[in-house]
Amino acid sequence: MTHYFETPTGEEHRRTVSARFWDTDWEFTTAAGVFSSDGLDLGTGVLLRTHTPAPGARRLLDLGCGYGVLAVALASASPDAEVDAVDVNERALALTADNARAHGVGERVHALLPDAVAPDARYDEIWSNPPIRIGKQALHDLLLQWLPRLAPGGVARLVVGRNLGADSLQRWLIQQGHRCDRTASAKGFRVLEVRPAS
């Protein structure tokens, strides 16, 4: 079985899905073998309905971008910002690039494999519906890799299912020295805002 956090080998079967958030109707191209290929997943929907990027954010990261919903939304809401969209699934990255072009933000959304991100890149905001199903240790390793890339004063927004360990993840992040606050809770999901470790 191919997981969405790997590059799939089967047919794409591309299709269009619709979503509504920020008082706007959106359409995205998706395909088999990527996360939530049938439409906007509940967690990302909760994140987008409860938060918007700060007006001054200039460098943003969509970590685990899937077909690019967060990346496109962030770039659309922040016309002066550059957005890195990172995923290990190359089909997802191709879809992200296509969706960014379709929404007129293709020049500012950079769909990248993790190793292609500049080592000195720092972000005002990190947005993520993280891949919980890769396992707790792999998830911790992922966050330990990317959270240090927050710029001073930056914030990461993570949406995690309550029944998938949101509360234990919050405790772990605090144990790592981060400030971590729950800023929204809806439909079984928590939004955690994480500030850099002191």
Coordinates of all heavy atoms in Angstrom, one line a residue, residues 91-189:
R91 N 4.3 13.8 -6.3 CA 3.0 14.1 -6.9 C 2.3 15.3 -6.3 O 1.8 16.2 -6.9 CB 2.1 12.9 -6.9 CG 0.8 13.1 -7.6 CD 0.0 11.8 -7.7 NE 0.6 10.8 -8.6 CZ 0.2 9.6 -8.8 NH1 -0.9 9.2 -8.1 NH2 0.8 8.8 -9.6
A92 N 2.4 15.3 -4.9 CA 1.8 16.4 -4.2 C 2.4 17.7 -4.6 O 1.8 18.8 -4.8 CB 1.9 16.2 -2.7
L93 N 3.8 17.7 -4.7 CA 4.5 19.0 -5.1 C 4.1 19.4 -6.5 O 3.9 20.6 -6.7 CB 6.0 18.7 -5.0 CG 6.6 18.5 -3.6 CD1 8.1 18.2 -3.7 CD2 6.3 19.6 -2.7
A94 N 3.9 18.5 -7.4 CA 3.5 18.9 -8.8 C 2.1 19.5 -8.7 O 1.8 20.5 -9.4 CB 3.5 17.7 -9.7
L95 N 1.2 18.9 -7.9 CA -0.2 19.5 -7.8 C -0.1 20.9 -7.1 O -0.8 21.8 -7.6 CB -1.0 18.5 -7.0 CG -1.4 17.2 -7.7 CD1 -1.9 16.2 -6.7 CD2 -2.5 17.5 -8.8
T96 N 0.7 21.0 -6.1 CA 0.8 22.3 -5.5 C 1.3 23.4 -6.5 O 0.7 24.5 -6.5 CB 1.9 22.2 -4.3 OG1 1.3 21.4 -3.3 CG2 2.1 23.6 -3.7
A97 N 2.3 23.1 -7.3 CA 2.8 24.0 -8.3 C 1.7 24.4 -9.2 O 1.5 25.6 -9.6 CB 4.0 23.5 -9.0
D98 N 0.9 23.4 -9.7 CA -0.2 23.6 -10.6 C -1.3 24.5 -10.0 O -1.8 25.4 -10.6 CB -0.8 22.3 -11.1 CG 0.2 21.6 -12.1 OD1 1.2 22.2 -12.5 OD2 -0.1 20.4 -12.4
N99 N -1.6 24.2 -8.8 CA -2.7 24.9 -8.1 C -2.3 26.4 -7.8 O -3.1 27.3 -7.9 CB -3.1 24.2 -6.8 CG -4.0 23.0 -7.0 OD1 -4.9 23.1 -7.8 ND2 -3.7 21.9 -6.3
A100 N -1.0 26.5 -7.5 CA -0.5 27.9 -7.2 C -0.6 28.7 -8.5 O -1.0 29.9 -8.5 CB 1.0 27.8 -6.7
R101 N -0.2 28.1 -9.7 CA -0.3 28.8 -10.9 C -1.7 29.2 -11.3 O -2.0 30.3 -11.7 CB 0.4 28.0 -12.1 CG 1.9 28.0 -12.1 CD 2.4 27.4 -13.3 NE 2.2 26.0 -13.4 CZ 3.0 25.1 -12.9 NH1 4.2 25.4 -12.3 NH2 2.7 23.8 -13.0
A102 N -2.6 28.2 -11.0 CA -4.0 28.4 -11.3 C -4.6 29.6 -10.5 O -5.6 30.2 -11.0 CB -4.8 27.1 -11.1
H103 N -4.1 29.8 -9.3 CA -4.6 30.9 -8.5 C -3.8 32.2 -8.6 O -3.9 33.1 -7.8 CB -4.7 30.4 -7.0 CG -5.8 29.4 -6.8 ND1 -5.7 28.1 -6.9 CD2 -7.1 29.7 -6.4 CE1 -6.8 27.5 -6.6 NE2 -7.7 28.4 -6.3
G104 N -2.9 32.2 -9.5 CA -2.1 33.4 -9.7 C -1.0 33.7 -8.8 O -0.5 34.9 -8.7
V105 N -0.5 32.7 -8.0 CA 0.5 32.9 -7.0 C 1.7 32.0 -7.3 O 2.6 31.8 -6.4 CB 0.0 32.7 -5.6 CG1 -1.0 33.8 -5.2 CG2 -0.6 31.3 -5.4
G106 N 1.8 31.5 -8.5 CA 2.8 30.5 -8.9 C 4.2 31.0 -8.7 O 5.1 30.2 -8.4
E107 N 4.5 32.3 -8.9 CA 5.8 32.8 -8.8 C 6.3 32.9 -7.3 O 7.5 33.1 -7.0 CB 5.9 34.2 -9.4 CG 5.8 34.1 -11.0 CD 6.0 35.4 -11.6 OE1 6.2 36.4 -10.9 OE2 5.9 35.5 -12.9
R108 N 5.3 32.9 -6.4 CA 5.7 33.1 -4.9 C 5.5 31.8 -4.1 O 5.8 31.8 -2.9 CB 4.8 34.2 -4.3 CG 5.1 35.6 -5.0 CD 4.4 36.7 -4.3 NE 3.0 36.6 -4.4 CZ 2.1 36.3 -3.5 NH1 2.5 36.0 -2.3 NH2 0.8 36.3 -3.7
V109 N 5.0 30.8 -4.7 CA 4.9 29.5 -4.0 C 5.9 28.5 -4.6 O 6.0 28.3 -5.8 CB 3.5 28.9 -4.2 CG1 3.4 27.4 -3.6 CG2 2.4 29.7 -3.5
H110 N 6.8 28.1 -3.7 CA 7.9 27.2 -4.1 C 7.7 25.8 -3.6 O 7.8 25.6 -2.3 CB 9.2 27.8 -3.6 CG 9.3 29.3 -3.8 ND1 9.5 29.9 -5.1 CD2 9.2 30.4 -2.9 CE1 9.5 31.2 -5.0 NE2 9.3 31.5 -3.7
A111 N 7.3 24.9 -4.4 CA 7.1 23.5 -4.1 C 8.4 22.8 -4.0 O 9.0 22.6 -5.1 CB 6.1 22.9 -5.0
L112 N 8.7 22.3 -2.8 CA 10.1 21.8 -2.6 C 10.1 20.5 -1.8 O 9.3 20.3 -0.9 CB 10.9 22.8 -1.8 CG 11.1 24.2 -2.4 CD1 11.6 25.2 -1.4 CD2 12.0 24.2 -3.6
L113 N 11.0 19.6 -2.2 CA 11.4 18.5 -1.3 C 12.1 19.0 -0.1 O 12.8 20.1 -0.2 CB 12.2 17.4 -2.1 CG 11.6 16.6 -3.2 CD1 12.6 15.9 -4.0 CD2 10.6 15.6 -2.6
P114 N 12.0 18.4 1.0 CA 12.7 18.9 2.2 C 14.2 19.3 2.0 O 14.6 20.3 2.5 CB 12.5 17.8 3.2 CG 11.3 17.1 2.8 CD 11.3 17.1 1.3
D115 N 14.9 18.4 1.3 CA 16.3 18.6 1.1 C 16.6 19.8 0.2 O 17.8 20.3 0.2 CB 17.0 17.4 0.6 CG 17.1 16.3 1.6 OD1 16.8 16.6 2.8 OD2 17.3 15.1 1.2
A116 N 15.6 20.3 -0.5 CA 15.8 21.4 -1.5 C 15.7 22.8 -0.8 O 15.9 23.8 -1.4 CB 14.9 21.3 -2.7
V117 N 15.2 22.8 0.4 CA 15.0 24.1 1.1 C 16.4 24.6 1.5 O 17.2 23.9 2.1 CB 14.1 23.9 2.4 CG1 14.0 25.2 3.1 CG2 12.7 23.4 1.9
A118 N 16.6 25.9 1.3 CA 17.8 26.5 1.7 C 18.1 26.3 3.2 O 17.2 26.5 4.0 CB 17.8 28.0 1.4
P119 N 19.3 25.9 3.6 CA 19.6 25.6 5.0 C 19.4 26.8 5.9 O 19.2 26.7 7.1 CB 21.0 25.0 5.0 CG 21.6 25.4 3.7 CD 20.5 25.6 2.7
D120 N 19.6 28.0 5.3 CA 19.5 29.2 6.1 C 18.1 29.8 6.1 O 17.9 30.9 6.6 CB 20.5 30.2 5.7 CG 20.3 30.7 4.3 OD1 19.6 30.0 3.5 OD2 21.0 31.7 3.9
A121 N 17.1 29.2 5.5 CA 15.7 29.7 5.4 C 15.1 29.8 6.8 O 15.2 28.9 7.6 CB 14.9 28.8 4.5
R122 N 14.5 31.0 7.1 CA 13.8 31.2 8.4 C 12.5 31.7 8.1 O 12.3 32.5 7.1 CB 14.6 32.2 9.3 CG 16.0 31.7 9.7 CD 15.8 30.4 10.6 NE 17.1 29.9 11.0 CZ 17.8 28.9 10.4 NH1 17.2 28.4 9.3 NH2 18.9 28.5 10.8
Y123 N 11.5 31.4 8.9 CA 10.1 31.6 8.5 C 9.4 32.5 9.6 O 9.6 32.2 10.8 CB 9.3 30.3 8.3 CG 9.9 29.5 7.2 CD1 10.8 28.4 7.5 CD2 9.6 29.8 5.9 CE1 11.3 27.7 6.4 CE2 10.2 29.1 4.8 CZ 11.0 28.0 5.1 OH 11.6 27.3 4.1
D124 N 8.6 33.4 9.2 CA 7.8 34.2 10.1 C 6.7 33.3 10.6 O 6.2 33.5 11.8 CB 7.2 35.4 9.4 CG 8.3 36.4 8.9 OD1 9.2 36.7 9.7 OD2 8.2 36.8 7.7
E125 N 6.2 32.4 9.8 CA 5.1 31.5 10.2 C 5.3 30.2 9.5 O 5.6 30.1 8.3 CB 3.7 32.1 9.8 CG 3.4 33.4 10.5 CD 2.0 33.9 10.2 OE1 1.2 33.2 9.6 OE2 1.6 35.0 10.7
I126 N 5.0 29.1 10.3 CA 4.9 27.8 9.7 C 3.5 27.3 9.9 O 2.9 27.4 11.0 CB 5.9 26.8 10.4 CG1 7.3 27.3 10.2 CG2 5.7 25.4 10.0 CD1 8.4 26.5 11.0
W127 N 2.9 26.8 8.9 CA 1.5 26.3 9.0 C 1.6 24.8 8.6 O 2.2 24.4 7.6 CB 0.6 27.0 8.0 CG 0.3 28.4 8.3 CD1 1.1 29.4 8.5 CD2 -1.1 28.9 8.5 NE1 0.5 30.6 8.9 CE2 -0.9 30.3 8.9 CE3 -2.3 28.4 8.5 CZ2 -2.0 31.1 9.1 CZ3 -3.4 29.2 8.7 CH2 -3.2 30.6 9.0
S128 N 0.9 24.0 9.4 CA 1.0 22.5 9.1 C -0.2 21.7 9.6 O -0.7 22.0 10.7 CB 2.3 22.0 9.6 OG 2.4 20.6 9.3
N129 N -0.7 20.8 8.8 CA -1.5 19.7 9.3 C -0.6 18.5 9.2 O -0.5 17.8 8.2 CB -2.7 19.5 8.3 CG -3.7 18.4 8.8 OD1 -3.3 17.6 9.7 ND2 -4.9 18.5 8.3
P130 N 0.2 18.3 10.3 CA 1.4 17.4 10.2 C 1.0 16.0 10.0 O -0.1 15.6 10.4 CB 2.1 17.6 11.6 CG 1.0 18.1 12.5 CD 0.1 18.9 11.6
P131 N 1.8 15.2 9.4 CA 1.5 13.8 9.1 C 1.6 12.9 10.3 O 2.6 12.2 10.5 CB 2.6 13.4 8.1 CG 3.8 14.3 8.4 CD 3.2 15.6 8.9
I132 N 0.6 12.9 11.2 CA 0.6 12.2 12.4 C 0.9 10.7 12.2 O 1.6 10.1 13.0 CB -0.7 12.4 13.1 CG1 -1.0 13.9 13.4 CG2 -0.8 11.5 14.4 CD1 0.0 14.5 14.4
R133 N 0.4 10.2 11.1 CA 0.4 8.7 10.9 C 1.8 8.2 10.5 O 2.0 7.0 10.4 CB -0.6 8.3 9.9 CG -2.0 8.6 10.4 CD -3.1 8.0 9.5 NE -4.4 8.5 9.8 CZ -5.2 8.0 10.8 NH1 -4.7 7.0 11.6 NH2 -6.4 8.5 11.1
I134 N 2.8 9.1 10.4 CA 4.2 8.6 10.2 C 4.7 8.0 11.5 O 5.8 7.4 11.5 CB 5.1 9.7 9.7 CG1 5.3 10.8 10.7 CG2 4.7 10.1 8.3 CD1 6.3 11.9 10.2
G135 N 4.0 8.2 12.7 CA 4.5 7.7 13.9 C 5.0 8.8 14.8 O 5.5 9.8 14.4
K136 N 4.9 8.5 16.1 CA 5.3 9.6 17.1 C 6.7 10.0 17.0 O 7.0 11.2 17.0 CB 5.0 9.1 18.5 CG 5.3 10.2 19.6 CD 5.0 9.6 21.0 CE 3.5 9.5 21.3 NZ 3.3 9.2 22.7
Q137 N 7.7 9.1 16.9 CA 9.1 9.5 16.9 C 9.4 10.2 15.6 O 10.1 11.2 15.6 CB 10.0 8.3 17.0 CG 11.5 8.6 17.2 CD 11.7 9.5 18.3 OE1 11.3 9.2 19.5 NE2 12.3 10.7 18.1
A138 N 8.9 9.7 14.5 CA 9.1 10.4 13.2 C 8.5 11.8 13.2 O 9.1 12.8 12.7 CB 8.6 9.6 12.0
L139 N 7.3 12.0 13.8 CA 6.7 13.3 13.9 C 7.6 14.2 14.8 O 7.8 15.4 14.4 CB 5.3 13.1 14.5 CG 4.6 14.5 14.8 CD1 4.3 15.2 13.5 CD2 3.3 14.2 15.5
H140 N 8.0 13.7 15.9 CA 8.9 14.5 16.8 C 10.1 14.9 16.0 O 10.6 16.1 16.1 CB 9.3 13.7 18.0 CG 8.1 13.6 19.0 ND1 8.2 12.9 20.2 CD2 6.8 14.0 19.0 CE1 7.1 12.9 20.8 NE2 6.2 13.6 20.1
D141 N 10.8 14.0 15.3 CA 12.0 14.3 14.5 C 11.7 15.4 13.5 O 12.5 16.4 13.3 CB 12.5 13.1 13.8 CG 13.1 12.1 14.8 OD1 13.3 12.4 16.0 OD2 13.3 10.9 14.4
L142 N 10.5 15.3 12.8 CA 10.1 16.3 11.8 C 10.0 17.7 12.5 O 10.5 18.7 11.9 CB 8.8 15.9 11.2 CG 8.2 16.8 10.2 CD1 8.9 16.7 8.9 CD2 6.7 16.5 9.9
L143 N 9.3 17.8 13.6 CA 9.1 19.1 14.3 C 10.5 19.6 14.8 O 10.7 20.8 14.7 CB 8.1 18.9 15.4 CG 6.7 18.6 14.9 CD1 5.7 18.4 16.1 CD2 6.1 19.7 14.0
L144 N 11.3 18.7 15.3 CA 12.6 19.2 15.8 C 13.5 19.7 14.6 O 14.4 20.5 14.8 CB 13.3 18.0 16.5 CG 12.7 17.7 17.9 CD1 13.4 16.4 18.4 CD2 12.9 18.8 18.9
Q145 N 13.2 19.2 13.4 CA 13.9 19.7 12.2 C 13.5 21.1 11.8 O 14.3 21.9 11.4 CB 13.8 18.7 11.1 CG 14.4 19.2 9.8 CD 14.1 18.2 8.6 OE1 13.5 17.1 8.8 NE2 14.6 18.6 7.5
W146 N 12.1 21.3 11.8 CA 11.6 22.5 11.2 C 11.3 23.6 12.2 O 11.4 24.8 11.8 CB 10.3 22.1 10.4 CG 10.7 21.3 9.2 CD1 10.6 20.0 9.1 CD2 11.2 21.8 8.0 NE1 11.1 19.6 7.9 CE2 11.4 20.7 7.2 CE3 11.5 23.1 7.5 CZ2 11.9 20.8 5.9 CZ3 12.0 23.2 6.2 CH2 12.2 22.0 5.4
L147 N 10.9 23.4 13.4 CA 10.5 24.4 14.3 C 11.7 25.4 14.6 O 11.5 26.6 14.8 CB 10.0 23.9 15.6 CG 8.6 23.3 15.6 CD1 8.2 22.7 16.9 CD2 7.5 24.3 15.1
P148 N 13.0 24.9 14.6 CA 14.1 25.8 14.8 C 14.3 26.8 13.6 O 15.0 27.8 13.8 CB 15.3 24.9 14.9 CG 14.8 23.6 15.4 CD 13.4 23.5 14.8
R149 N 13.5 26.6 12.6 CA 13.6 27.5 11.4 C 12.7 28.7 11.6 O 12.6 29.6 10.7 CB 13.3 26.8 10.1 CG 14.4 25.8 9.7 CD 13.9 25.0 8.5 NE 15.0 24.2 7.9 CZ 15.7 24.5 6.9 NH1 15.6 25.7 6.3 NH2 16.6 23.7 6.5
L150 N 11.9 28.8 12.7 CA 11.1 30.0 13.0 C 12.1 31.2 13.2 O 13.0 31.1 14.0 CB 10.2 29.8 14.2 CG 9.0 28.9 14.0 CD1 8.3 28.6 15.3 CD2 8.0 29.7 13.0
A151 N 11.7 32.3 12.6 CA 12.4 33.5 12.8 C 12.1 34.0 14.2 O 11.1 33.6 14.8 CB 12.0 34.6 11.8
P152 N 12.9 34.9 14.8 CA 12.6 35.5 16.1 C 11.2 36.2 16.0 O 10.9 36.9 15.1 CB 13.7 36.6 16.3 CG 14.8 36.0 15.5 CD 14.2 35.4 14.3
G153 N 10.3 35.8 17.0 CA 9.0 36.3 17.0 C 8.0 35.6 16.1 O 6.9 35.9 16.0
G154 N 8.5 34.5 15.5 CA 7.7 33.7 14.6 C 6.8 32.8 15.3 O 6.9 32.6 16.5
V155 N 5.9 32.2 14.5 CA 4.9 31.3 15.1 C 4.6 30.1 14.2 O 4.6 30.3 13.0 CB 3.6 32.0 15.5 CG1 2.9 32.6 14.2 CG2 2.6 31.1 16.2
A156 N 4.4 28.9 14.8 CA 4.0 27.8 14.0 C 2.5 27.4 14.4 O 2.2 27.5 15.6 CB 4.9 26.6 14.2
R157 N 1.7 27.2 13.4 CA 0.3 26.7 13.7 C 0.1 25.3 13.2 O 0.2 25.0 12.0 CB -0.7 27.7 13.0 CG -0.6 29.1 13.5 CD -1.7 30.0 13.0 NE -1.6 31.3 13.6 CZ -0.9 32.3 13.0 NH1 -0.3 32.2 11.9 NH2 -0.9 33.5 13.7
L158 N -0.1 24.4 14.1 CA -0.3 23.0 13.8 C -1.7 22.6 14.2 O -2.2 22.9 15.2 CB 0.7 22.1 14.7 CG 2.1 22.6 14.8 CD1 2.9 21.7 15.7 CD2 2.8 22.6 13.4
V159 N -2.4 21.9 13.3 CA -3.7 21.3 13.6 C -3.6 19.8 13.7 O -3.0 19.2 12.8 CB -4.8 21.8 12.5 CG1 -4.4 21.2 11.1 CG2 -6.1 21.3 12.9
V160 N -4.1 19.3 14.8 CA -3.9 17.9 15.2 C -5.2 17.4 15.7 O -5.9 18.1 16.6 CB -2.8 17.7 16.2 CG1 -2.6 16.2 16.5 CG2 -1.5 18.3 15.7
G161 N -5.6 16.2 15.3 CA -6.8 15.6 15.9 C -6.6 15.3 17.4 O -5.6 14.8 17.8
R162 N -7.7 15.5 18.1 CA -7.6 15.3 19.6 C -7.4 13.8 19.8 O -6.6 13.4 20.7 CB -9.0 15.7 20.2 CG -9.0 15.6 21.7 CD -10.4 15.9 22.3 NE -11.4 14.9 21.8 CZ -12.6 15.2 21.4 NH1 -13.0 16.5 21.4 NH2 -13.4 14.3 20.9
N163 N -8.1 12.9 19.0 CA -7.9 11.5 19.2 C -6.6 10.9 18.6 O -6.4 9.8 18.6 CB -9.1 10.7 18.7 CG -9.3 10.9 17.2 OD1 -8.7 11.7 16.5 ND2 -10.2 10.1 16.6
L164 N -5.9 11.8 17.9 CA -4.6 11.4 17.3 C -3.4 12.0 18.1 O -2.3 12.0 17.6 CB -4.5 11.9 15.9 CG -5.5 11.2 14.9 CD1 -5.4 11.8 13.5 CD2 -5.2 9.7 14.9
G165 N -3.7 12.5 19.3 CA -2.6 12.9 20.2 C -2.3 14.3 20.3 O -1.2 14.7 20.7
A166 N -3.3 15.2 20.0 CA -3.0 16.6 20.1 C -2.5 17.1 21.5 O -1.6 17.9 21.6 CB -4.3 17.4 19.7
D167 N -3.2 16.6 22.5 CA -2.8 17.0 23.9 C -1.5 16.5 24.3 O -0.7 17.3 24.9 CB -3.9 16.6 24.9 CG -5.3 17.2 24.6 OD1 -5.3 18.3 23.9 OD2 -6.3 16.7 25.0
S168 N -1.1 15.3 23.9 CA 0.2 14.8 24.3 C 1.3 15.5 23.5 O 2.4 15.7 24.0 CB 0.3 13.3 24.1 OG 0.1 12.9 22.8
L169 N 1.0 15.9 22.2 CA 1.9 16.6 21.4 C 2.2 18.0 22.0 O 3.3 18.5 22.1 CB 1.4 16.7 20.0 CG 2.3 17.5 19.1 CD1 3.7 16.8 18.9 CD2 1.7 17.7 17.7
Q170 N 1.1 18.6 22.5 CA 1.3 19.9 23.2 C 2.2 19.8 24.4 O 3.1 20.6 24.6 CB -0.1 20.5 23.6 CG 0.0 21.9 24.2 CD -1.4 22.4 24.6 OE1 -2.4 21.7 24.6 NE2 -1.4 23.7 24.9
R171 N 2.0 18.8 25.2 CA 2.8 18.6 26.4 C 4.3 18.4 26.0 O 5.2 18.9 26.6 CB 2.3 17.4 27.2 CG 1.0 17.7 28.0 CD 0.7 16.6 29.0 NE 0.5 15.3 28.3 CZ -0.7 14.9 27.9 NH1 -1.8 15.7 28.1 NH2 -0.9 13.7 27.4
W172 N 4.5 17.6 24.9 CA 5.8 17.3 24.5 C 6.5 18.6 24.0 O 7.7 18.8 24.3 CB 5.8 16.3 23.3 CG 7.2 16.0 22.8 CD1 8.1 15.2 23.3 CD2 7.7 16.5 21.6 NE1 9.3 15.2 22.5 CE2 9.0 16.0 21.4 CE3 7.2 17.4 20.6 CZ2 9.9 16.3 20.4 CZ3 8.1 17.7 19.5 CH2 9.4 17.2 19.4
L173 N 5.8 19.4 23.2 CA 6.4 20.7 22.7 C 6.8 21.6 23.9 O 7.8 22.2 23.8 CB 5.4 21.4 21.8 CG 5.2 20.7 20.4 CD1 3.9 21.2 19.7 CD2 6.4 21.0 19.5
I174 N 5.9 21.6 24.9 CA 6.3 22.4 26.1 C 7.5 21.9 26.7 O 8.4 22.6 27.2 CB 5.1 22.5 27.0 CG1 3.9 23.3 26.4 CG2 5.5 23.1 28.4 CD1 2.6 23.3 27.1
Q175 N 7.6 20.6 26.8 CA 8.8 19.9 27.4 C 10.1 20.3 26.6 O 11.2 20.3 27.2 CB 8.6 18.4 27.5 CG 7.6 18.0 28.5 CD 7.2 16.5 28.3 OE1 7.7 15.8 27.5 NE2 6.3 16.0 29.2
Q176 N 9.9 20.5 25.3 CA 11.1 20.9 24.5 C 11.5 22.4 24.7 O 12.5 22.8 24.1 CB 10.8 20.6 23.0 CG 10.4 19.2 22.7 CD 11.2 18.2 23.3 OE1 12.5 18.2 23.1 NE2 10.7 17.3 24.1
G177 N 10.7 23.1 25.5 CA 11.1 24.5 25.8 C 10.3 25.5 25.0 O 10.5 26.7 25.1
H178 N 9.3 25.0 24.2 CA 8.5 25.9 23.4 C 7.3 26.5 24.2 O 6.8 25.8 25.1 CB 8.0 25.2 22.1 CG 9.0 24.8 21.2 ND1 9.6 25.6 20.3 CD2 9.5 23.5 21.0 CE1 10.5 24.9 19.6 NE2 10.4 23.6 20.0
R179 N 6.9 27.6 23.9 CA 5.6 28.0 24.3 C 4.6 27.4 23.3 O 4.7 27.6 22.1 CB 5.4 29.6 24.3 CG 4.0 30.0 24.7 CD 3.9 31.5 24.8 NE 2.5 31.9 24.9 CZ 2.1 33.2 24.9 NH1 2.9 34.2 24.9 NH2 0.8 33.4 25.1
C180 N 3.6 26.8 23.8 CA 2.6 26.1 23.0 C 1.2 26.3 23.6 O 0.9 25.8 24.7 CB 2.9 24.6 22.9 SG 1.8 23.7 21.7
D181 N 0.4 27.0 22.8 CA -1.0 27.4 23.3 C -2.0 26.8 22.4 O -1.8 26.8 21.1 CB -1.2 28.9 23.4 CG -0.2 29.6 24.3 OD1 -0.2 29.2 25.5 OD2 0.5 30.5 23.8
R182 N -3.1 26.3 22.9 CA -4.2 25.8 22.1 C -5.0 27.1 21.8 O -5.6 27.7 22.7 CB -5.1 24.8 22.8 CG -6.2 24.2 22.0 CD -7.2 23.4 22.8 NE -6.5 22.4 23.6 CZ -7.1 21.8 24.6 NH1 -8.4 22.1 25.0 NH2 -6.5 20.9 25.4
T183 N -5.2 27.4 20.5 CA -5.9 28.6 20.1 C -7.2 28.4 19.4 O -8.0 29.3 19.2 CB -5.0 29.5 19.2 OG1 -4.6 28.6 18.0 CG2 -3.7 29.9 19.9
A184 N -7.5 27.1 19.2 CA -8.8 26.8 18.6 C -9.1 25.3 18.8 O -8.1 24.5 18.9 CB -8.9 27.1 17.1
S185 N -10.3 24.9 18.9 CA -10.7 23.5 19.0 C -12.1 23.4 18.4 O -13.1 24.1 18.8 CB -10.8 23.1 20.5 OG -11.1 21.8 20.6
A186 N -12.2 22.5 17.4 CA -13.5 22.3 16.7 C -13.4 21.0 15.9 O -12.4 20.5 15.5 CB -13.7 23.4 15.7
K187 N -14.6 20.3 15.9 CA -14.7 19.1 15.1 C -13.7 18.0 15.4 O -13.2 17.3 14.5 CB -14.7 19.4 13.6 CG -15.9 20.3 13.2 CD -16.0 20.6 11.7 CE -17.2 21.5 11.4 NZ -17.4 21.7 9.9
G188 N -13.3 18.0 16.7 CA -12.3 17.0 17.1 C -10.9 17.3 16.8 O -10.0 16.5 17.0
F189 N -10.6 18.6 16.4 CA -9.2 19.0 16.2 C -8.8 20.1 17.1 O -9.7 21.0 17.5 CB -9.1 19.5 14.7 CG -9.2 18.3 13.7 CD1 -10.4 17.9 13.2 CD2 -8.0 17.7 13.3 CE1 -10.5 16.9 12.3 CE2 -8.1 16.6 12.4 CZ -9.3 16.2 11.9

